[in-house]
Amino acid sequence: MNCPKCGTKIEEGSLYCTACGEDIHIVPDFESEVEQSMQDTLEQIAEELQDTAGKTETRKDPPKLKKSYMGWIIGIFFLVIIILTGVLVGAWYHMEHSVEYQLSRAAQCVGAQKYEQAAEYYLRAKELGSRDPETGFALADCYYAMDNVGGYESQLLELIDSGLLDQKQLERAYAGLIQSYRTRNDYQTIDSLLNSCDNETIRSSYQNLQAKAPEFGFEEGYYQEIIPLKLSSNTAGTIYYTMDGSEPDENSTVYTAPIFLDNGEYTVKAVFVNQYGLVSDVVTKKYRIEIQIPIAPDVETVSGEYSSPTMIRVNCEEGEAVYYTMDGTVPTEKSTRYTGPIPMPLGNSNYSFAIIEEDGIVGEVTQRSYSLQLRTDISLDMATVTVYSEMLRIGRIQNPEGYAGENGIYQYQFQYPMTVEEEDYYIFAELHVDESGGSIRTGSYYAVQAYNCTCYKLVADEYNNYSIAEIP
């Protein structure tokens, strides 16, 4: 290359002429389109110069004038080249460094369904500093149209991690990403994605796709009461658990109802498997239960043989709930509750008494055995006949079977012997029987004297004090 000013040869790479000091301007490379445009322009100028030179040769100008004219033409030529090159380079530079131009060209390519070229323009816009999330979404759409699943998912993940999305855009990104995973049944990746998401709105929207570890109704630790341990999950699926220290899986016990933990030490392990087969982390809880069992109730009436009506009494503290059975079994909350002295039944009987707390804990049991035989010649059968005979006499019934006409049927059921006003009686309750055979107590009670077989009406006041009344 020669210096444009003095013509001295300049070494390659030098930025100025060593002879005259003239600065050397190196024209940068540009796109093939620009180069072609410059080539066409140069060829056109060359043709015009040839035409001008041809015309000039036909003239018979003085040599000095021709030389001056050619100098001007060459100067103008180089000036045009420099200006044109600067314009083209400037245009090229502007296009290469303009986000708006890249986005505009990308939109044109999308309209023409040239998604690969559009993706390149969107990538270039991002390189130039575009932080608009919509650029990222548009790029993801291009990958989707190109069936580039990896590019599509990577771009959405990049948007989620960018921190630039508002709530609606964040929901849009998660929706597209999760749908892509679901298309190929990749629920494990969905579970991992949602577990790492700190946006509760999004997590709750897709909770059916997660496999959260089961939740325990009680924290592990020491308790002095029975624990009804409940296990729960966030969505549809199955909870499996073990209590022997082994790891739970789909072959373990299925949780269906609360697990009652009473006295002892327990290690409960549970895992949740959702409807898509996703398996949660295993949760382990340890419990130590030491229940304070209520002491046995104080039954005042001791076991033994009795020959006169006797009341069975239990000494209860205020607030204690004592229950009892008459067949020797351990009482439960479904047994009869003790509310006051109990008339001892005829013959042999076995009672069991226990305090039962509100949480269902059954205390120690007190057992009593009794044998009551009245010292009389009047048997229970004789007393029963006496009651029916008295009811026939007063017209309460119309036959010994208890038929009472339109009033149906009355029956008289023996309850227990009782001492009333210092005399012993057989006590009977009156029952009314309906057409279906069901019976209900009428509230009337009758007493047959245990030694002379006389029948009376048994009357109780508001304080449950009993007395004997004549039957009219």
Side-chain angles (χ1 to χ4, degrees):
M1 176 178 179
N2 296 329
C3 176
K5 182 175 182 182
C6 67
T8 303
K9 185 175 182 180
I10 300 174
E11 295 182 2
E12 184 177 354
S14 180
L15 300 179
Y16 61 93
C17 177
T18 56
C20 65
E22 178 72 11
D23 291 334
I24 305 302
H25 299 282
I26 300 174
V27 179
D29 294 334
F30 41 81
E31 292 182 336
S32 57
E33 295 179 0
V34 178
E35 184 179 358
Q36 184 62 41
S37 176
M38 292 177 61
Q39 182 66 29
D40 294 341
T41 303
L42 291 174
E43 290 178 356
Q44 183 177 356
I45 293 173
E47 290 176 359
E48 292 177 357
L49 288 174
Q50 289 177 359
D51 292 341
T52 303
K55 292 178 181 179
T56 305
E57 288 177 357
T58 58
R59 299 178 182 176
K60 296 182 179 180
D61 296 328
K64 289 184 180 180
L65 181 60
K66 182 177 180 181
K67 184 177 181 180
S68 175
Y69 180 75
M70 286 301 296
W72 277 101
I73 292 297
I74 293 172
I76 293 173
F77 169 75
F78 278 108
L79 180 61
V80 170
I81 292 298
I82 293 172
I83 293 174
L84 182 59
T85 300
V87 171
L88 294 175
V89 170
W92 170 82
Y93 184 86
H94 173 73
M95 290 186 295
E96 279 297 306
H97 294 80
S98 170
V99 172
E100 291 75 13
Y101 173 79
Q102 302 298 325
L103 295 179
S104 174
R105 292 290 294 137
Q108 293 174 9
C109 291
V110 169
Q113 298 184 353
K114 298 179 179 179
Y115 298 110
E116 291 187 12
Q117 295 181 24
E120 292 178 1
Y121 281 114
Y122 282 128
L123 286 171
R124 177 59 180 161
K126 290 178 62 178
E127 290 176 2
L128 294 175
S130 175
R131 295 175 59 82
D132 185 357
E134 292 304 322
T135 300
F137 280 113
L139 176 58
D141 291 340
C142 287
Y143 287 138
Y144 184 84
M146 295 159 55
D147 291 328
N148 185 345
V149 177
Y152 176 71
E153 294 176 354
S154 296
Q155 182 56 38
L156 291 178
L157 282 172
E158 181 181 321
L159 284 167
I160 290 173
D161 295 336
S162 69
L164 300 174
L165 307 186
D166 58 28
Q167 183 63 31
K168 288 186 176 180
Q169 290 173 327
L170 195 62
E171 292 173 1
R172 175 181 169 190
Y174 271 101
L177 194 57
I178 290 174
Q179 183 57 42
S180 181
Y181 292 145
R182 294 190 70 174
T183 300
R184 60 175 188 271
N185 295 322
D186 189 0
Y187 291 100
Q188 191 62 56
T189 302
I190 294 175
D191 185 53
S192 300
L193 175 69
L194 293 174
N195 284 336
S196 63
C197 175
D198 56 3
N199 188 295
E200 288 301 324
T201 301
I202 291 175
R203 288 171 63 92
S204 61
S205 298
Y206 297 101
Q207 61 179 352
N208 64 313
L209 299 177
Q210 296 177 264
K212 286 186 177 180
E215 294 183 359
F216 283 54
F218 287 85
E219 290 297 325
E220 63 181 354
Y222 172 75
Y223 292 88
Q224 293 181 317
E225 58 185 351
I226 293 177
I227 292 180
L229 180 61
K230 294 182 179 180
L231 306 180
S232 60
S233 58
N234 66 314
T235 185
T238 306
I239 296 175
Y240 300 91
Y241 73 94
T242 63
M243 297 179 66
D244 59 1
S246 63
E247 293 299 307
D249 56 26
E250 295 184 44
N251 296 318
S252 302
T253 304
V254 176
Y255 174 83
T256 57
I259 307 166
F260 287 90
L261 306 180
D262 52 19
N263 276 325
E265 294 186 0
Y266 303 88
T267 298
V268 183
K269 293 187 176 185
V271 68
F272 173 66
V273 180
N274 75 0
Q275 59 186 324
Y276 301 106
L278 292 177
V279 181
S280 75
D281 294 333
V282 174
V283 180
T284 302
K285 300 282 187 182
K286 293 184 178 182
Y287 301 91
R288 180 185 173 192
I289 313 298
E290 289 186 357
I291 301 172
Q292 301 297 322
I293 298 177
I295 62 174
D298 178 18
V299 181
E300 182 179 313
T301 308
V302 299
S303 298
E305 295 181 357
Y306 292 82
S307 60
S308 62
T310 303
M311 303 299 288
I312 303 172
R313 302 177 185 277
V314 179
N315 295 321
C316 298
E317 297 291 338
E318 184 177 354
E320 285 183 344
V322 177
Y323 291 80
Y324 68 92
T325 62
M326 299 176 63
D327 58 2
T329 59
V330 176
T332 67
E333 290 178 305
K334 295 182 179 180
S335 302
T336 305
R337 182 168 180 174
Y338 177 83
T339 57
I342 307 167
M344 186 182 295
L346 277 176
N348 299 323
S349 58
N350 295 294
Y351 282 81
S352 295
F353 298 88
I355 299 172
I356 300 179
E357 297 187 343
E358 292 182 357
D359 55 6
I361 297 176
V362 179
E364 296 179 357
V365 177
T366 299
Q367 292 185 326
R368 291 287 187 268
S369 296
Y370 303 107
S371 178
L372 173 59
Q373 301 294 333
L374 298 182
R375 294 178 180 177
T376 177
D377 294 333
I378 306 299
S379 67
L380 178 58
D381 290 340
M382 294 171 62
T384 302
V385 171
T386 299
V387 172
Y388 276 91
S389 297
E390 187 66 16
M391 295 302 105
L392 281 169
R393 184 187 69 79
I394 65 175
R396 183 72 171 170
I397 59 177
Q398 298 178 13
N399 63 27
E401 285 72 36
Y403 177 69
E406 294 181 357
N407 291 329
I409 297 174
Y410 289 107
Q411 292 182 347
Y412 299 89
Q413 187 178 79
F414 173 70
Q415 301 298 295
Y416 37 74
M418 177 185 289
T419 299
V420 181
E421 297 176 353
E422 299 183 354
E423 293 194 15
D424 299 338
Y425 295 87
Y426 293 103
I427 306 301
F428 292 84
E430 183 182 66
L431 285 74
H432 182 265
V433 182
D434 58 26
E435 295 179 355
S436 65
S439 62
I440 185 172
R441 295 190 179 192
T442 65
S444 295
Y445 290 85
Y446 296 92
V448 176
Q449 218 275 354
Y451 300 102
N452 61 24
C453 214
T454 306
C455 188
Y456 300 93
K457 179 85 177 220
L458 182 66
V459 181
D461 61 18
E462 58 181 333
Y463 302 106
N464 285 328
N465 296 316
Y466 295 98
S467 61
I468 297 298
E470 296 286 341
I471 300 176

